[in-house]
Each structure stands twice: as C-alpha cells, then as structure tokens.
Amino acid sequence: MGINNKKKINRLKKVSLVAVNNQKGKISEQYRIIRTNFLTSIDCKNSQTLTITSPNQEEGKSTTAANFAISLAQQGKKVLLVDADLRNSSMHYIFKVDNSFGLSSLLVGERELEYIINKTEINGLDFLPSGPVPNNPAELLGSKKMELFINTVIRQYDIVLFDTPAVLEVADAKIIANLCDGILLVIRWGKTKSNEAKDAKKLLESASAKLLGVILNSKE
C-alpha cells in the first residue's frame, strides 16, 4: 500500500459524520438545506435512485454522500447507501464496517443481498460496502445483475444513493448514472477546475439520468 493511500485511509477514518455528531452546526444545516431542496424540487420528485460523483478524486463526494444519506434518514426516509466504487473503495472506513463482502460479491454471485447489507447506528439508514476489488468493475456495474439489484432495493427503500468513482477518471460513474433516476455532482472549492466541472457535466448529461444539481464542497 502506497503512502498516499495510507494518508487517504487515515483521513477517511477521521471523517466526521457531522449530520450525526454536530446536528446544530452550520455544516449540518447545509446538509438539511440540500435535503430540503432535493425533497421539494419538482425535478427531483421521482428520483428514487441517485448517483453521487465528482470530477476527480479527493473532492469530498464520499463524505457528502454519507452525510446526505444520514440527513435523509433523519427526515424519516428509509435509505440505502451503496459504495459503488469497486476500484478504490473508502466508505467502509467512514462507517467502520468490514469490506470483505459487498456489492462486488453480490454481482459475481458469491453472496446474497441480505447477508451483505449493514445496519448503521442511524435509524433508517443501511449501508452496502463495495466488497473486494473485482477484475472487471465496469462490466459488473453494467450487468443484468446490477439492474436486478437496483430493481430489488427500490422496493425496500425510499431512496438509494450510489457513491461512485470520479467521472473523469473511469466510465463507472456514467454506467451507474444510466441506471439511476438522477445525479448529484460534488465539486470542491479551490480544487475543482472550472473546465473539469464542465467536462464532468457534459459526460453525465450524456447519460440517461438527469443532473439534478451541483454540491459545492468547502475548501476546509
């Protein structure tokens, strides 16, 4: 494991789920605003499955996805958060769960769904880790088994969120977006370049799902 990966893991382990740990703080209020905008927007009305991505790595999409999912669950929604980054998973560090089995295990037929979904400490929020890195991530995400998985979970949850790889780096985010109702693009103040944001927007808009909005992550 390289030094950069170790730094990333250490940082993720320290990620604050502010929507739980500091509910009266300004950042938690921003997530509630995002939640309200999502739940009340006409464009988002029929969006049950969401892709959450960013142009590049290290732009805060996983932290945003986790806190947004928590905020939705706090509103009384039954939410499934899926780590769909089968190449460089991270969400299991945030929720401190085992990643020995997960989405990839389901898609290759090694585990049934009921045995890999994790209950979280937040009422109404379940979490599905990515699982071991497969040889063919893009093919698995675009498979019939992935479609079957989505068709199954939308009958069990109000909202299903997919945290995906960065859209400018691999095709995975666009593949998942084609299977979802909507997309949220996370960009980071002081890091995401304007041309990168525009390129990501163009790629995502070529998918079947709608780009519902952009979340500006802080420079902190």
Side-chain angles (χ1 to χ4, degrees):
M1 181 181 296
I3 294 175
N4 289 337
N5 283 339
K6 288 182 179 179
K7 288 182 178 179
K8 178 181 179 181
I9 290 170
N10 288 334
R11 182 173 65 254
L12 286 165
K13 287 179 178 178
K14 296 177 182 178
V15 164
S16 175
L17 297 177
V18 293
V20 174
N21 300 326
N22 187 15
Q23 296 188 37
K24 295 183 179 180
K26 292 182 179 179
I27 298 178
S28 291
E29 181 59 31
Q30 292 303 309
Y31 282 114
R32 286 192 287 271
I33 291 173
I34 294 170
R35 177 188 68 195
T36 299
N37 290 342
F38 169 73
L39 293 176
T40 59
S41 170
I42 294 177
D43 290 336
C44 303
K45 186 175 181 181
N46 297 315
S47 298
Q48 186 179 2
T49 53
L50 295 177
T51 297
I52 299 180
T53 189
S54 58
N56 304 294
Q57 293 186 30
E58 308 296 320
E59 291 174 324
K61 65 176 179 57
S62 295
T63 302
T64 299
N67 282 287
F68 181 46
I70 291 169
S71 181
L72 288 167
Q74 290 172 336
Q75 184 71 12
K77 300 296 182 181
K78 189 174 182 182
V79 181
L80 176 64
L81 176 60
V82 181
D83 186 346
D85 189 343
L86 302 187
R87 302 170 189 266
N88 189 22
S89 60
S90 61
M91 193 75 75
H92 59 285
Y93 293 114
I94 297 176
F95 285 95
K96 301 177 182 178
V97 303
D98 183 29
N99 195 41
S100 297
F101 300 101
L103 178 61
S104 63
S105 310
L106 175 72
L107 297 179
V108 299
E110 290 182 353
R111 285 291 187 278
E112 296 296 328
L113 181 60
E114 60 193 273
Y115 299 113
I116 54 177
I117 286 183
N118 294 265
K119 297 289 184 182
T120 72
E121 62 183 18
I122 297 92
N123 187 38
L125 175 61
D126 289 348
F127 169 62
L128 177 61
S130 65
V133 178
N135 294 325
N136 53 344
E139 287 78 7
L140 287 179
L141 292 172
S143 67
K144 290 293 183 181
K145 285 189 176 181
M146 184 67 174
E147 292 184 33
L148 179 60
F149 160 67
I150 293 176
N151 289 334
T152 299
V153 293
I154 59 175
R155 296 195 293 267
Q156 302 173 12
Y157 295 91
D158 299 316
I159 300 173
V160 182
L161 304 179
F162 292 89
D163 178 43
T164 75
V167 68
L168 295 181
E169 296 182 2
V170 291
D172 301 16
K174 185 176 177 180
I175 292 172
I176 297 174
N178 277 315
L179 301 174
C180 289
D181 301 320
I183 310 161
L184 294 176
L185 180 65
V186 178
I187 61 175
R188 191 172 188 85
W189 176 272
K191 185 178 189 304
T192 308
K193 297 177 181 179
S194 60
N195 64 302
E196 293 172 338
K198 291 176 182 177
D199 289 344
K201 180 175 180 288
K202 288 179 182 178
L203 281 173
L204 291 172
E205 285 180 338
S206 66
S208 297
K210 295 187 298 184
L211 180 59
L212 299 176
V214 176
I215 298 175
L216 177 62
N217 202 20
S218 77
K219 60 182 177 180
E220 297 299 324

